[in-house]
Amino acid sequence: MIYLDHNATTSLDERVLAAMLPFLKTYYGNPSSLYRHGRLVRSAIDTAREQVAALVGVSAPQIIFTSGGTEANNLALATLSPNANFAVSAIEHPSIIEPALHLKTQGHDLTMIAVDSNGRITQDAINQLIDCQPQLVSMMLANNETGVIQPIASYAEQLKAHDISVHTDAVQALGKIPVSFDALNVDLMSLSSHKIYGAKGCGALVVGKNITINPLLRGGGQEQNLRSGTENVAAIIAFGKAAELAKNELTERSEQLLALRTLLEQQLTSIPQLTIFAQHADRLPNTVMFGIENVDGEMLVMQLDTKGIAVASGSACASGGSQPSHVLLAMGMTPEQAKTAVRISLGIANTAAEVTDFVSTLKSLIA
Ligand code: PLP
């Protein structure tokens, strides 16, 4: 199989698997237990917390482990005070859009931030937000479908100067571009492990100094009382190891991904009627979304699958439905244009030969 869907999920790095295995077999103690068998596990979780914290440049207590990016995003929105107004961008992942729409039904005033045709939040939109004075603004660092990167640091600085808190979903940016919590000027940031060669079912919310979290889960008081429930120990250890590797190998990984993406885009441009979406925006080094006029994206995905090639149409997390991508619609595309979308998201194990194979298979399918 040629796997080109790393924004949906990545394989588990062998080194990560080796780090987590002992915590599925030998070290099965409960980290809250007082005896040695539990304390050992607690100390391994502490190390993982430090490794994740180091990847985004914060101190360990600022990391709250969650069940993934979805829970981290829900927890970030749960910081809202009763009836407070807030804003999210129109291109957010469903794990922001859906809880935001739910909060709206509960009496919160919600502003949807528009994007331009390149999928970027504009300075005008930020100026308008400042006039509305929301309590919280959520804007993703990099989009999972188009790969477009937002100028979060500059926008967050302006919003914070007006006492507006900022959350960023950094799930897709992590491990692909440098992500520094402080440099981004944000108050809250969501992370997920299975997008950086860690295990599924684990993520984190990074919390800034003066932010109050309203827990979604109450119980035994784990995670500083902010997220109760016995820790998903092996997955947390895996997240720590994956974060350590991502930090050490970041430059090499992003250069390698960018070289592959450049090759892919060069080859794609020889296909008539093919458009790379948001091509001239600042994008993740691994992501290319394109459409071929009058060719259904989902149909292409199925046909490529029969040739042993895994790619996505629109957002993998939202797949199952055949609605056109809300991200592309927000960028001003018609539903017909949006339905042509195919997403390639490269990973660190992909090769130039795989990219070439993919493009020649694609050409033969559309011929
Ligand atoms: N945010 C973004 C931008 C994503 O792409 C995803 C998953 O694709 C998530 C959040 C959800 O993360 P998780 O799968 O860990 O719940």
Side-chain angles (χ1 to χ4, degrees):
M1 177 187 51
I2 300 180
Y3 185 76
L4 302 172
D5 197 18
H6 293 82
N7 287 8
T9 196
T10 58
S11 62
L12 194 61
D13 188 303
E14 284 296 332
R15 296 165 292 178
V16 172
L17 178 63
M20 79 189 282
L21 269 182
F23 294 87
L24 289 166
K25 291 161 97 174
T26 317
Y27 305 116
Y28 56 83
N30 188 318
S32 297
S33 300
L34 292 179
Y35 42 78
R36 204 178 120 74
H37 193 51
R39 289 200 318 269
L40 254 163
V41 177
R42 164 68 51 216
S43 142
I45 290 183
D46 289 345
T47 304
R49 198 183 304 281
E50 273 159 24
Q51 289 164 319
V52 174
L55 179 57
V56 295
V58 296
S59 63
Q62 290 180 260
I63 302 289
I64 306 172
F65 286 120
T66 63
S67 63
T70 298
E71 186 186 333
N73 279 344
N74 275 263
L75 192 55
L77 293 187
T79 56
L80 285 170
S81 315
N83 296 321
N85 69 345
F86 71 114
V88 309
S89 90
I91 57 162
E92 295 298 309
H93 186 265
S95 55
I96 284 290
I97 301 270
E98 292 302 322
L101 292 174
H102 177 71
L103 285 165
K104 191 177 171 192
T105 67
Q106 307 292 300
H108 293 269
D109 202 357
L110 166 65
T111 305
M112 281 282 180
I113 311 167
V115 295
D116 65 15
S117 60
N118 275 309
R120 282 181 302 214
I121 298 169
T122 60
Q123 181 60 54
D124 273 357
I126 299 298
N127 297 343
Q128 281 169 26
L129 272 182
I130 291 172
D131 294 340
C132 303
Q133 272 295 309
Q135 180 188 335
L136 177 74
V137 173
S138 180
M139 302 176 285
M140 70 203 316
L141 181 50
N143 184 266
N144 44 303
E145 299 188 31
T146 58
V148 170
I149 299 169
Q150 303 294 337
I152 297 293
S154 149
Y155 290 167
E157 191 181 11
Q158 299 171 48
L159 292 165
K160 287 182 67 174
H162 291 84
D163 285 330
I164 300 167
S165 301
V166 179
H167 164 254
T168 195
D169 175 345
V171 164
Q172 290 294 346
L174 195 71
K176 297 170 190 152
I177 57 170
V179 175
S180 156
F181 187 81
D182 287 342
L184 287 170
N185 295 316
V186 292
D187 302 285
L188 292 155
M189 181 161 81
S190 300
L191 311 175
S192 176
S193 176
H194 73 107
K195 313 287 186 181
I196 64 160
Y197 309 92
K200 293 168 183 62
C202 188
L205 183 67
V206 189
V207 184
K209 302 262 153 62
N210 301 310
I211 294 288
T212 309
I213 299 288
N214 301 314
L216 296 172
L217 299 181
R218 295 168 199 275
Q222 289 87 348
E223 297 298 300
Q224 306 166 64
N225 240 334
L226 300 176
R227 202 281 183 183
S228 285
T230 301
E231 296 86 341
N232 186 357
V233 176
I236 289 175
I237 306 303
F239 192 11
K241 185 67 188 175
E244 182 192 70
L245 295 170
K247 184 171 191 293
N248 294 342
E249 298 172 5
L250 183 64
T251 313
E252 183 190 325
R253 287 183 186 187
S254 51
E255 281 172 8
Q256 185 189 333
L257 290 170
L258 187 59
L260 278 184
R261 194 192 79 179
T262 308
L263 175 73
L264 172 62
E265 295 192 345
Q266 274 163 1
Q267 297 191 0
L268 286 177
T269 47
S270 65
I271 299 178
Q273 262 121 36
L274 183 145
T275 308
I276 295 174
F277 301 148
Q279 184 170 13
H280 303 295
D282 190 15
R283 279 177 300 138
L284 291 175
N286 80 318
T287 309
V288 180
M289 195 177 225
F290 65 83
I292 304 170
E293 219 177 289
N294 298 323
V295 178
D296 185 74
E298 261 183 26
M299 203 173 69
L300 262 186
V301 170
M302 313 285 240
Q303 289 179 347
L304 285 162
D305 183 39
T306 65
K307 308 282 180 198
I309 300 176
V311 303
S313 67
S315 166
C317 283
S319 73
S322 57
Q323 293 300 313
S325 148
H326 70 288
V327 175
L328 300 179
L329 295 182
M331 287 161 62
M333 288 191 194
T334 63
E336 291 68 35
Q337 285 169 323
K339 282 201 162 199
T340 65
V342 172
R343 179 189 70 186
I344 308 301
S345 48
L346 302 157
I348 53 174
N350 285 136
T351 61
E354 287 180 327
V355 166
T356 305
D357 256 18
F358 159 68
V359 178
S360 61
T361 309
L362 179 66
K363 282 181 177 165
S364 70
L365 285 174
I366 55 178

